[in-house]
Amino acid sequence: MNGLYMRYSHGQDVLHNINLNLAPGSFHFLTGPSGAGKSSLLKLIYLARHCSRGHLQLFGHNVAQCNRNEKALLRRRVGVVFQEFRLLDHLSVFENIALPLRAAGIKREVYEEDVVELLSWVGLGDAINENPRALSGGEKQRVAIARAVVAKPELLIADEPTGNVDPQMGIRLMRLFVELNRLGSTVLIASHDLQLVRASGAPVLTINEGRLSPPKAPRKRGRK
Amino acid sequence: MNQTDQPAPTPPSMLPLRSREDGPLFFVIAIIIFLACISALITRAAFVSAAQWRNDLNSAMTVQIKDTRDQAIKVDRAAKVLQATKGVSSITRYGRERALDLLEPWLGKGNIPDDLPLPVLLGVRLDPKAPASKEVIMLALSAADINAEVDDHRRWSSEMNKATTFIQLFSIAALGLLLAASVAVTGFATRASLAARRNVVNTLHLAGAFDSYIAREFERRFGTLGLRAGLTGAALAGLIVGGAQLLSGASSGVLLPVFRLDLTGFGLLVLAPVLTGFLGALTARLTVLSNLREQE
């Protein structure tokens, strides 16, 4: 990202001169107070929004020059854990997790076993046919995380992924992110949980009033 | 891989099966298609009747023998002359009884003295491929020394043409407006449905679904909805028209030519739901694609 600015409709810029390079395979946390622009920055990266100025490059592609289908293909390489989960209530837990794979045109028989295995991993093996409305906040969050990682994305973006789960499950989910990172995925997690951030030892990006501070020197990631 | 022998179940639609918007939309489309089917049948009947009326008027003339002296001889001669004229296919004699029948509504029965001379009429049916003109017939009769008046129904034909053209244009306009209304309603409903399912669209969009994939989901939904609603509307129209046909079965069909459910009429009723389904799918697709483009 070079000199990125972003605004909603005709309002004022909410992001100012963002310069950021996420190296492939890196692991970063993004922190900042509420309304600082964390979610806006993430939206730019997972291509939910356009920048008003500047240059965004994703997986070596200049996003401004991509057509709609090319952008869709780029989105498939990004897994997103939304703060508000965005689960589809008319689909089962299984179908929600498999959604990115279905959207990519993959047949059920190809992904069925992987989805079942992932469900067990996040502790929802018994909820495979449940409706998301029947789940607790923490369970919904785990479904959202499972959906974000099911396609083994090259870039994983998570907005407060451990906000609704108990500390034990938080640690378990962080392990999942670390594991994905070890397998080669680039991970960017927005979090208020400073304890979690410090414990991870990963470099921290701080955003305040739409301006991004240079990453703090990485510390050794704590093993959990 | 699925290790079981059973085939994997078909994945459910990405869209919720039912929504509050779909029920009223179903009824609105069904009603519009019902009206469109009735209108289409009337349009078709108007064209058929108009063609028939024109044909009847253009392929016939009436000859009135004015001579009252030696009338029977003159009528025989006129009939022979006309039969021999090129472009005439048949002659029908309307005798005194027929003339009395025609005068009865105005003068009443039995009010005409037997010795009152009445003009004799000859109905001339023309060859539809090469009909004789009024002038040719007049020339032939005058050459045979017969004082006669020839009516080629032109003034009726002109009035009839105006009336049928008006009916045809009115029917086509009504049909066009109903089809336009159907498309507009489907487009409006698709937008409403899209707004109600924005979370689904956004989630699919961010999961990397192509626009065409998302549009296809809506296309299927609204295509099926249009087909079902169209079938209901067309079936209802078929029942009404069929019922009316049964009720008017004994009549000659002169005054009720519109209520005919023949093979073409039935074809129109079958075509209507197919067209509605197609239009529903197409409208939904275009609406979703344009909405997705506006979204970013």
Side-chain angles (χ1 to χ4, degrees), chain A residues 29-55:
Chain A
F29 274 98
L30 176 65
T31 61
S34 292
K38 294 193 295 295
S39 294
S40 297
L41 179 58
L42 297 185
K43 279 177 188 168
L44 271 185
I45 301 173
Y46 61 72
L47 306 183
R49 286 277 168 185
H50 288 301
C51 55
S52 51
R53 267 188 287 167
H55 175 80

Side-chain angles (χ1 to χ4, degrees), chain A residues 9-82:
Chain A
S9 299
H10 300 292
Q12 290 192 329
D13 287 329
V14 291
L15 294 177
H16 305 267
N17 195 25
I18 304 287
N19 294 293
L20 173 65
N21 178 31
L22 292 174
S26 63
F27 192 116
H28 286 85
F29 274 98
L30 176 65
T31 61
S34 292
K38 294 193 295 295
S39 294
S40 297
L41 179 58
L42 297 185
K43 279 177 188 168
L44 271 185
I45 301 173
Y46 61 72
L47 306 183
R49 286 277 168 185
H50 288 301
C51 55
S52 51
R53 267 188 287 167
H55 175 80
L56 172 63
Q57 196 160 337
L58 194 61
F59 308 122
H61 296 269
N62 181 356
V63 172
Q65 289 176 349
C66 290
N67 63 31
R68 294 185 65 81
N69 281 352
E70 286 167 343
K71 279 186 197 168
L73 290 172
L74 289 178
R75 284 189 195 101
R76 288 181 192 177
R77 297 163 72 178
V78 183
V80 187
V81 183
F82 301 100

Side-chain angles (χ1 to χ4, degrees), chain B residues 206-261:
Chain B
L206 294 176
F210 287 138
D211 289 357
S212 55
Y213 179 92
I214 301 170
R216 204 157 44 240
E217 291 280 327
F218 281 86
E219 193 181 289
R220 275 193 207 129
R221 170 62 50 88
F222 284 92
T224 315
L225 181 79
L227 187 68
R228 278 174 40 234
L231 274 172
T232 308
L236 202 60
L239 280 175
I240 298 280
V241 172
Q245 191 179 357
L246 277 178
L247 285 175
S248 64
S251 83
S252 61
V254 174
L255 291 177
L256 285 171
V258 289
F259 291 122
R260 274 195 322 205
L261 195 56

Side-chain angles (χ1 to χ4, degrees), chain A residues 68 75-76 90 102 113, chain B residues 1 12 14 206 208 211 296:
Chain A
R68 294 185 65 81
R75 284 189 195 101
R76 288 181 192 177
H90 63 285
R102 265 185 79 182
E113 236 178 47
Chain B
M1 288 291 286
M14 290 287 195
L206 294 176
D211 289 357
E296 270 190 27

Side-chain angles (χ1 to χ4, degrees), chain A residues 59 73-80 97-98 100-101 104 106 110-118 145-157 176-177 179-187, chain B residues 207:
Chain A
F59 308 122
L73 290 172
L74 289 178
R75 284 189 195 101
R76 288 181 192 177
R77 297 163 72 178
V78 183
V80 187
I97 293 174
L101 303 168
I106 300 170
V110 176
Y111 61 70
E112 190 167 18
E113 236 178 47
D114 290 344
V115 173
V116 172
E117 195 181 318
L118 189 58
I145 290 170
R147 183 181 61 189
V149 303
V150 71
K152 300 179 180 74
E154 291 170 56
L155 171 61
L156 178 73
I157 293 171
L176 177 64
F177 295 144
E179 194 56 39
L180 267 170
N181 179 238
R182 279 196 187 130
L183 290 170
S185 294
T186 307
V187 178

Side-chain angles (χ1 to χ4, degrees), chain B:
Chain B
M1 288 291 286
N2 193 359
Q3 297 298 309
T4 59
D5 291 336
Q6 289 180 339
T10 311
S13 167
M14 290 287 195
L15 299 178
L17 280 178
R18 290 178 190 280
S19 90
R20 278 180 297 177
E21 290 76 20
D22 290 355
L25 177 67
F26 177 88
F27 284 109
V28 169
I29 294 182
I31 290 166
I32 286 177
I33 295 309
F34 165 75
L35 294 172
C37 283
I38 297 282
S39 181
L41 289 173
I42 291 174
T43 305
R44 180 190 162 254
F47 273 84
V48 170
S49 300
Q52 202 176 318
W53 291 334
R54 275 196 200 109
N55 187 48
D56 284 352
L57 285 173
N58 294 335
S59 63
M61 287 187 200
T62 308
V63 174
Q64 184 186 334
I65 310 295
K66 287 185 166 177
D67 292 318
T68 47
R69 272 190 194 172
D70 305 325
Q71 199 176 48
I73 299 165
K74 296 260 171 96
V75 168
D76 281 345
R77 201 193 307 156
K80 277 179 193 165
V81 166
L82 290 170
Q83 196 71 67
T85 306
K86 203 176 172 187
V88 172
S89 59
S90 65
I91 305 295
T92 310
R93 288 185 198 206
Y94 300 118
R96 185 176 173 83
E97 290 74 24
R98 178 69 178 146
L100 286 172
D101 284 346
L102 289 170
L103 289 170
E104 194 182 298
W106 284 272
L107 300 177
K109 197 164 188 172
N111 295 330
I112 301 169
D114 290 343
D115 56 347
L116 183 73
L118 291 177
V120 176
L121 300 175
L122 287 172
V124 180
R125 178 68 47 192
L126 301 171
D127 179 357
K129 286 177 188 166
S133 68
K134 181 181 178 181
E135 288 71 29
V136 166
I137 287 178
M138 282 177 73
L139 262 175
L141 289 171
S142 95
D145 192 26
I146 298 165
N147 181 17
E149 193 178 296
V150 179
D151 181 7
D152 63 356
H153 312 151
R154 194 167 287 168
R155 61 196 169 114
W156 296 111
S157 181
S158 162
E159 287 299 312
M160 188 65 79
N161 277 342
K162 278 183 202 164
T164 52
T165 305
F166 173 76
I167 292 170
Q168 286 170 345
L169 288 176
F170 182 79
S171 305
I172 289 171
L175 185 63
L177 283 173
L178 285 167
L179 284 176
S182 175
V183 172
V185 164
T186 312
F188 179 76
T190 311
R191 279 186 184 274
S193 170
L194 202 62
R197 289 151 179 160
R198 191 163 294 284
N199 64 328
V200 182
V201 174
N202 281 342
T203 307
L204 284 170
H205 182 62
L206 294 176
F210 287 138
D211 289 357
S212 55
Y213 179 92
I214 301 170
R216 204 157 44 240
E217 291 280 327
F218 281 86
E219 193 181 289
R220 275 193 207 129
R221 170 62 50 88
F222 284 92
T224 315
L225 181 79
L227 187 68
R228 278 174 40 234
L231 274 172
T232 308
L236 202 60
L239 280 175
I240 298 280
V241 172
Q245 191 179 357
L246 277 178
L247 285 175
S248 64
S251 83
S252 61
V254 174
L255 291 177
L256 285 171
V258 289
F259 291 122
R260 274 195 322 205
L261 195 56
D262 53 10
L263 200 64
T264 313
F266 189 72
L268 280 172
L269 292 182
V270 171
L271 185 69
V274 175
L275 196 66
T276 317
F278 173 74
L279 282 177
L282 185 70
T283 313
R285 181 178 181 81
L286 295 177
T287 307
V288 171
L289 288 177
S290 111
N291 232 309
L292 282 168
R293 284 192 193 103
E294 284 167 16
Q295 203 175 303
E296 270 190 27

